[in-house]
Amino acid sequence: MRRLTKKKALTMVKELDAFPKVPESYVESTASGGTVSLVAFTLMAVLAFLEFFVYRATWMKYEYEVDKDFSSKMRINIDITVAMKCQYIGADVLDLAETMIASDGLKYEPVHFELSPEQRLWHRTLLHIQDRLRVEHALQDVIFKAAIKGQAPIRAHRDDGSSDLTSCRIHGHMYVNKVAGNFHITVGKSIPHPRGHAHLAALISHDSYNFSHRIDHLSFGEAIPGIISTLDGTEKISADANHMFQYFITIVPTKLNTYKVSADTHQYSVTERERAINHALGSHGVSGIFMKYDISSLMVKVTEQHMPLWQFLVRLCGIIGGIFSTTGMLHGMVGFLVDVFSCRFQVGVYKPLTEDPMNVHEKSEPSTPSENLSEPLDIGRQLILEQ
């Protein structure tokens, strides 16, 4: 009984075979089939190779949610060169709560405002990238994924004795509250004040004012290698001694998670405005560089993703099966049409003409019925006369 049950089971399994085997004696190989197979295999290989590159490629996924982190500190990374001596200027932050943030993390370094040839080349490259970023927004995804480790050439003091170092490089970082604030660089060192703060600028001559500046780097949050911020490479030259530069910055908290970098940082957009200070003409204000920033309530999550392995295998099977089926159908259809036309030519339907069709028709035309009926009458008359 068990043997019979096993045989029945095997018989049922054989009946469910969706891939029946054809004996080799019934299979005929042709040159046309071999050619089509060669083309099909080549096309499969090329498309599978390209599909592998699609599988290796990655893309950035952007998600938006409300920023719930309001109690932590935000880091400001600064590298600005001002065309004034370091003892004449001061930098600090005053937030919306009238809290003055200490600038102990900033360093004042006397430098030349002019750049060396290597630094000027780096600066031009940075400006070119900024121009392309304004046009090609997808380039930012490439920068996110690349995480370039390069950095600007190190500044070297040129002690040639021809002139003193008349500019000041302010660089470093500082931590501020996650509220709107104002980072500014103006004349005089800052001192605490019951109503805020003040700068000692009374002893500095107006002739020494020159707020021409170059922003080598300005970012918010964790410093990430290769990320180019909006104001990086900005250079402003002032023709007037009393001049005000204003930057209105909107900061967007960003969580970046790529295969090379995972960090909490911030992106920002900026609007610029500048004007000369002339009290006689009604243009009032304080000379300096003012960066007023505000923090958005939305947070952006940027995640690098790529195609899953199962999806790659499904697409690969679709390519191979689709090409195999399509080429088989095309080969069968072309073979059928060739056979049809070949048979018609062999039968003579499409046989080329060698004589005039009218002459052929007259030769092959049968006798009329009247002529066929008159022949028996003539034979009967002849028999009667003979009798």
Side-chain angles (χ1 to χ4, degrees):
M1 293 296 294
R2 292 182 179 178
R3 291 181 178 178
L4 292 175
T5 305
K6 290 182 179 179
K7 289 182 178 180
K8 289 182 179 180
L10 291 175
T11 303
M12 292 180 62
V13 171
K14 289 181 179 179
E15 291 179 354
L16 295 175
D17 187 8
F19 307 98
K21 308 299 184 295
V22 180
E24 294 184 0
S25 59
Y26 295 159
V27 178
E28 180 182 0
S29 300
T30 60
S32 61
T35 304
V36 173
S37 300
L38 184 60
V39 173
F41 292 149
T42 304
L43 192 58
M44 289 179 192
V46 172
L47 292 182
F49 186 71
L50 296 177
E51 188 66 24
F52 177 74
F53 280 98
V54 174
Y55 169 70
R56 290 293 304 273
T58 60
W59 64 88
M60 308 305 294
K61 180 181 178 182
Y62 291 84
E63 298 177 322
Y64 303 91
E65 62 183 34
V66 177
D67 185 16
K68 301 178 181 178
D69 183 14
F70 54 85
S71 59
S72 62
K73 298 287 185 178
M74 183 177 64
R75 172 170 169 164
I76 303 179
N77 308 295
I78 304 164
D79 190 353
I80 302 176
T81 302
V82 185
M84 289 182 65
K85 293 185 177 181
C86 293
Q87 61 266 27
Y88 293 160
I89 57 177
D92 56 8
V93 175
L94 185 67
D95 61 18
L96 195 61
E98 298 295 332
T99 303
M100 188 180 73
I101 308 300
S103 58
D104 299 336
L106 298 180
K107 299 179 181 179
Y108 295 79
E109 179 183 353
V111 294
H112 286 285
F113 191 79
E114 295 79 12
L115 296 175
S116 63
E118 295 81 6
Q119 294 170 348
R120 179 58 64 182
L121 179 61
W122 174 271
H123 185 260
R124 290 177 180 174
T125 304
L126 189 59
L127 291 180
H128 179 69
I129 296 175
Q130 291 283 22
D131 293 337
R132 298 308 305 170
L133 281 172
R134 295 185 183 95
V135 178
E136 300 289 343
H137 300 288
L139 184 59
Q140 185 64 53
D141 295 348
V142 179
I143 295 176
F144 278 149
K145 293 186 290 186
I148 305 171
K149 300 295 183 180
Q151 59 181 357
I154 300 175
R155 292 174 178 267
H157 292 290
R158 293 179 296 178
D159 298 330
D160 51 5
S162 59
S163 61
D164 297 331
L165 302 175
T166 58
S167 300
C168 183
R169 179 192 177 198
I170 304 174
H171 61 97
H173 65 274
M174 55 195 309
Y175 291 91
V176 299
N177 300 319
K178 290 189 69 174
V179 295
N182 181 6
F183 170 75
H184 52 272
I185 301 173
T186 187
V187 179
K189 301 297 181 180
S190 61
I191 57 174
H193 193 271
R195 296 184 179 180
H197 76 295
H199 287 261
L200 294 176
L203 302 178
I204 301 175
S205 173
H206 286 272
D207 297 335
S208 61
Y209 287 13
N210 185 4
F211 283 99
S212 300
H213 62 280
R214 180 174 53 252
I215 303 176
D216 295 318
H217 181 69
L218 177 66
S219 64
F220 300 87
E222 185 178 348
I224 301 177
I227 302 300
I228 300 176
S229 300
T230 306
L231 287 175
D232 291 358
T234 301
E235 187 177 50
K236 300 291 184 180
I237 304 299
S238 173
D240 303 318
N242 294 329
H243 211 90
M244 175 189 288
F245 296 93
Q246 292 177 308
Y247 299 93
F248 301 94
I249 301 173
T250 301
I251 304 172
V252 180
T254 304
K255 284 188 176 181
L256 183 62
N257 187 12
T258 67
Y259 293 108
K260 293 185 178 181
V261 178
S262 180
D264 293 338
T265 183
H266 296 75
Q267 301 179 86
Y268 64 88
S269 60
V270 62
T271 303
E272 304 176 12
R273 185 174 181 270
E274 61 179 89
R275 59 186 176 90
I277 303 300
N278 192 333
H279 299 286
L281 298 177
S283 179
H284 305 290
V286 179
S287 301
I289 305 168
F290 299 87
M291 299 181 179
K292 299 180 181 181
Y293 60 87
D294 194 6
I295 302 175
S296 174
S297 58
L298 292 179
M299 180 179 63
V300 180
K301 296 178 65 176
V302 184
T303 308
E304 186 177 4
Q305 295 183 339
H306 72 96
M307 183 188 302
L309 179 61
W310 65 267
Q311 188 175 356
F312 168 69
L313 296 177
V314 170
R315 291 167 63 99
L316 195 61
C317 293
I319 289 174
I320 296 175
I323 293 177
F324 188 80
S325 302
T326 304
T327 53
M329 288 188 296
L330 292 176
H331 178 252
M333 186 181 300
V334 173
F336 173 76
L337 295 176
V338 170
D339 292 340
V340 169
F341 282 100
S342 298
C343 290
R344 285 175 175 261
F345 276 112
Q346 290 176 2
V347 169
V349 177
Y350 298 107
K351 189 175 181 179
L353 298 176
T354 57
E355 298 181 6
D356 190 359
M358 298 300 296
N359 297 333
V360 175
H361 179 71
E362 291 177 356
K363 290 180 180 180
S364 62
E365 185 177 356
S367 58
T368 58
S370 59
E371 294 177 352
N372 294 334
L373 291 174
S374 61
E375 289 179 358
L377 292 175
D378 294 339
I379 295 172
R381 290 175 181 175
Q382 186 177 0
L383 290 174
I384 292 170
L385 293 174
E386 289 178 356
Q387 290 178 357

